[in-house]
Amino acid sequence: MTRVVILGTGTPNADPERSGPAVAIVVGSAVYLVDAGPGIVRRASKAARDDTISALAPSHLDRVFITHLHSDHTVGLPDLIFSPWVSGRTAPLDVYGPPGTAKMVDLLEQAYSADIDIRLRGGEPSNKTGYAATAHDVKAGVVYRDSNVTVTAFDVPHGKWEHAFGYVFKTADRTIVVSGDTHPSDAIVRACNGCDVLVHEVYSAERLKERGADWEKYHTAYHTSTYELGDLATRARPKLLVLYHQLYWGDDDAELVRQVRTRFGGAVVSARDLGVY
Ligand SMILES: [Zn+2]
Ligand SMILES: [Zn+2]
């Protein structure tokens, strides 16, 4: 059975109730992470303890698919590379992402080289393999396949970013689409096309009106409003629409859902951290 565990629904704003953006697709004992927002390893550890999704124990976190290189989606990457190693992960972290991902991973290994050296050679009983990361800069198309899942990256429009992806996870029992950060896009409609779960970013259309012209220009170019998402979901026809990476600006989950529902008649839920779908 394939499960979607929302590890973090947050944004760059440091809301203590919302860890940085990260999603886990769990198939049996295998975990496929999307993005590495701040707090990712601790949220995964909590899911492993409280919800007994033991696959999410830190030492099992060994594969991540990055949507784009905005800091809120990647500042948890050093955490994901190094913390699970100290908790016993022996496999290097496998990292897939847009061009620039391999350079980021390489620079992180350089940045933490003193730590790596001390843990390997300073007397700590550490394993000698789990600190490494194997990075893959990928293009749109099938980027990964094993006996559980086929993972396909697709291009999404995210303002001035040259490369930003959404991902499709196709398993034996479900098709799951994670939007990444995106302006409303036909690419999402095509990728979902009646999918089981569409995990999509969103901001409050009503509250944006209070944000001022500069922010209005930015958000309409980079992100998707509740009303736009409702229209998009009507065309994409997900069996369940999961709102995440929500910008509320004072609204609450019920109000975001209400706004989406004015345009979409299907099932919709506004995710909280550690929600399982
Ligand atoms: Zn972004
Ligand atoms: Zn973002």
Side-chain angles (χ1 to χ4, degrees):
M1 276 291 292
T2 305
R3 287 175 290 181
V4 181
V5 184
I6 308 292
L7 296 177
T9 59
T11 66
N13 307 314
D15 181 339
E17 303 301 319
R18 293 183 173 268
S19 194
V23 177
I25 315 295
V26 181
V27 188
S29 61
V31 177
Y32 308 86
L33 297 168
V34 183
D35 282 339
I40 180 171
V41 176
R42 276 159 175 74
R43 275 294 197 264
S45 178
K46 188 158 175 58
R49 283 186 198 174
D50 297 356
D51 298 325
T52 62
I53 303 172
S54 56
L56 286 166
S59 61
H60 294 175
L61 305 176
D62 59 5
R63 186 168 295 108
V64 63
F65 300 85
I66 301 293
T67 61
H68 65 301
L69 299 179
H70 248 151
S71 61
D72 50 320
H73 297 253
T74 52
V75 290
L77 202 46
D79 189 20
L80 195 54
I81 296 171
F82 300 114
S83 303
W85 170 41
V86 178
S87 298
R89 187 190 65 208
T90 55
L93 181 72
D94 221 5
V95 186
Y96 298 81
T101 302
K103 181 183 174 194
M104 180 178 278
V105 167
D106 183 48
L107 291 171
L108 286 170
E109 284 197 30
Q110 288 182 46
Y112 285 86
S113 58
D115 170 271
I116 294 167
D117 191 50
I118 287 282
R119 289 186 196 277
L120 287 176
R121 287 176 275 277
E124 186 171 323
S126 58
N127 73 67
K128 308 305 178 200
T129 49
Y131 70 89
T134 309
H136 313 263
D137 284 0
V138 297
K139 292 187 195 141
V142 173
V143 297
Y144 179 84
R145 185 180 277 137
D146 66 17
S147 59
N148 297 314
V149 67
T150 299
V151 184
T152 304
F154 60 96
D155 293 310
V156 293
H158 186 37
K160 299 273 188 205
W161 281 99
E162 190 178 349
H163 302 287
F165 293 149
Y167 287 102
V168 183
F169 294 79
K170 201 165 177 44
T171 71
D173 60 321
R174 294 177 105 184
T175 299
I176 293 148
V177 177
V178 180
S179 69
D181 281 9
T182 179
H183 183 71
S185 170
D186 286 345
I188 301 281
V189 175
R190 285 193 297 271
C192 176
N193 189 27
C195 63
D196 293 288
V197 183
L198 172 59
V199 180
H200 203 292
E201 67 122 279
V202 74
Y203 66 82
S204 168
E206 289 298 325
R207 293 285 181 159
L208 181 67
K209 298 170 187 168
E210 304 162 2
R211 296 281 295 168
D214 284 1
W215 282 110
E216 195 162 337
K217 192 172 167 199
Y218 169 76
H219 284 292
T220 52
Y222 278 73
H223 295 291
T224 301
S225 78
T226 41
Y227 296 142
E228 290 168 333
L229 181 53
D231 287 338
L232 187 138
T234 296
R235 297 166 56 219
R237 297 172 290 104
K239 293 186 181 72
L240 176 65
L241 173 63
V242 177
L243 314 183
Y244 99 124
H245 205 25
Q246 304 100 319
L247 281 165
Y248 297 87
W249 299 311
D251 279 346
D252 59 14
D253 290 304
E255 173 58 18
L256 291 191
V257 168
R258 186 198 68 75
Q259 291 176 28
V260 171
R261 281 202 174 127
T262 63
R263 310 285 182 93
F264 175 57
V268 49
V269 62
S270 187
R272 305 292 298 184
D273 282 25
L274 299 174
V276 181
Y277 305 99

